[in-house]
Amino acid sequence: RKRASSTTSGPSKPLKEIPYHPSISILHNLPSTSSRSFWNHHYSRIILKAQHQTSQKPATFEKYLPTNDTIILLKEYISPQQQQRGALGPKKSARKRRAAPRCLYAGCGLSTLGAEIAKMDPSLHVEQIDVSLVVVQYFNNVVSGITFGADARKTDSIGGTDGVPDSGNPPSSPEKPTKVPHFHASVQTRQLDVCQMTYDDYYFDFVVEKALFDCIIATNGEPRALDALNEIHRVLKPHGYYICFSNSSRRLHLIDQQSLFYWDLVAKRKIDAFKDGSHFVWMYVFRKWSESRIDKMMNENSKEEASDVQTLADELMRQSFV
């Protein structure tokens, strides 16, 4: 059996959404394999293009599902009531004080979903990760109160082809930086590969990803996607929720494998993303088993493995005797 070993207020005005259209989906243009340099290049182009169009009102870069709709769907599972049923279970949590619940937004890209999740509950600690250093530096600048203006494409820091920095870093900020009021300063952004995370086992109460699974499958295939699932499963606490937003209705054959992952499918929903029938997104919700159920299953598997080994040993002894 394989086992994976201070806040700011929200915006006064709604942010501009970049509308989705299948013909411009990143999934239609991904290479057969992707690397950090590819994603640095990709996000640098997006930042430059967005700031060329408007230097004062940053877009939220949402292409799968508008952020407000995503938050409405997440509230059913990421809530104070659900947090009380974390790794300690409902009875123990009443007797023993727990640490602040933690949520991981994996493969965040340039989305502001992590910030909106943090606004749902002040006690919720949100971290977001992405393989791209451009993404991390972009959010660090946003938290610092600056963003990249349209004049940045004219600065000397832009090199390489198509206005993408050779260093893989975002373009320099303009001399007069513009304020970005929408991002939640308590959200931590780290450069990490979801297939090789450095978090401890059983670290997060919730793991959310949107399009990450699709991108991994499109670029590196199902084996790499299983590596990501193993890591998500490893860092998720018992009773924790893994919530996946996917462009495909056919993901259960990978995610819902109880021979690999100790969780149950709680919900699968088909969502009309922009309410016009042009694009649908599937939401998969999994809840990890209790610690006692996991231990029981591991013990049963150990007994089965020991029995298989003994049977093989007996057969070898018999053949040797013959």
Side-chain angles (χ1 to χ4, degrees):
R1 183 186 186 88
K2 184 178 179 181
R3 291 288 297 139
S5 319
S6 94
T7 64
T8 57
S9 59
S12 57
K13 295 182 180 180
L15 298 173
K16 177 183 177 182
E17 298 279 0
I18 296 179
Y20 173 92
H21 191 277
S23 64
I24 62 172
S25 170
I26 178 63
L27 295 178
H28 291 256
N29 300 293
L30 286 176
S32 58
T33 59
S34 64
S35 61
R36 295 188 180 190
S37 60
F38 167 81
W39 291 110
N40 286 336
H41 184 106
H42 171 70
Y43 287 121
S44 294
R45 289 176 63 94
I46 290 179
I47 291 171
L48 288 171
K49 182 178 180 180
Q51 294 302 331
H52 178 72
Q53 294 173 349
T54 169
S55 61
Q56 298 298 324
K57 186 184 294 184
T60 58
F61 306 104
E62 302 297 342
K63 295 186 179 181
Y64 261 37
L65 189 65
T67 300
N68 292 339
D69 292 345
T70 307
I71 290 297
I72 292 173
L73 292 166
L74 290 178
K75 281 183 177 179
E76 182 176 347
Y77 305 100
I78 302 180
S79 64
Q81 291 76 18
Q82 297 295 350
Q83 292 162 17
Q84 292 302 317
R85 300 183 62 85
L88 295 176
K91 294 183 179 179
K92 290 184 180 180
S93 61
R95 299 194 303 263
K96 184 175 179 180
R97 185 176 179 180
R98 297 184 59 225
R102 302 186 184 103
C103 177
L104 174 67
Y105 180 26
C108 60
L110 300 175
S111 168
T112 57
L113 179 60
E116 297 302 322
I117 292 175
K119 294 174 186 176
M120 291 169 56
D121 183 359
S123 68
L124 185 63
H125 175 77
V126 179
E127 293 191 28
Q128 56 183 24
I129 63 172
D130 199 278
V131 73
S132 171
L133 180 61
V134 170
V135 168
V136 176
Q137 294 186 344
Y138 170 81
F139 279 117
N140 286 342
N141 278 278
V142 169
V143 170
S144 300
I146 61 175
T147 187
F148 311 115
D151 292 339
R153 66 166 50 245
K154 301 178 183 179
T155 63
D156 294 336
S157 65
I158 305 300
T161 59
D162 299 324
V164 178
D166 287 328
S167 62
N169 298 329
S172 301
S173 56
E175 293 182 2
K176 295 182 179 180
T178 55
K179 295 293 182 180
V180 183
H182 68 272
F183 198 74
H184 210 274
S186 67
V187 177
Q188 297 181 8
T189 307
R190 301 178 60 186
Q191 183 189 21
L192 279 178
D193 185 344
V194 71
C195 299
Q196 296 175 316
M197 292 187 284
T198 57
Y199 297 110
D200 293 336
D201 295 354
Y202 297 170
Y203 190 76
F204 290 101
D205 298 87
F206 311 98
V207 177
V208 178
E209 57 95 352
K210 188 165 65 168
L212 172 65
F213 201 60
D214 294 345
C215 288
I216 293 175
I217 291 177
T219 57
N220 298 98
E222 292 187 357
R224 189 64 171 170
L226 286 174
D227 290 340
L229 285 173
N230 275 318
E231 278 293 275
I232 290 173
H233 183 271
R234 179 182 66 80
V235 302
L236 187 63
K237 292 180 181 181
H239 293 292
Y241 285 89
Y242 165 45
I243 304 173
C244 167
F245 291 93
S246 173
N247 201 41
S248 172
S249 62
R250 298 181 295 274
R251 293 288 183 243
L252 290 180
H253 73 286
L254 286 176
I255 308 176
D256 193 19
Q257 298 187 65
Q258 292 196 353
S259 61
L260 299 178
F261 308 116
Y262 297 132
W263 51 36
D264 292 318
L265 178 66
V266 175
K268 177 185 177 183
R269 299 183 180 179
K270 182 179 180 181
I271 305 160
D272 188 351
F274 296 99
K275 301 179 176 60
D276 59 2
S278 64
H279 175 55
F280 292 93
V281 170
W282 279 261
M283 176 185 182
Y284 301 90
V285 182
F286 291 87
R287 190 178 185 212
K288 197 168 183 178
W289 297 357
S290 65
E291 194 167 3
S292 60
R293 185 180 175 190
I294 292 175
D295 291 341
K296 181 179 179 181
M297 179 62 71
M298 292 180 67
N299 290 334
E300 291 178 357
N301 290 335
S302 297
K303 292 178 181 178
E304 290 178 3
E305 291 173 0
S307 176
D308 292 341
V309 170
Q310 185 62 46
T311 301
L312 178 60
D314 292 343
E315 178 63 20
L316 292 174
M317 287 291 292
R318 186 187 67 79
Q319 293 180 5
S320 177
F321 177 78
V322 172

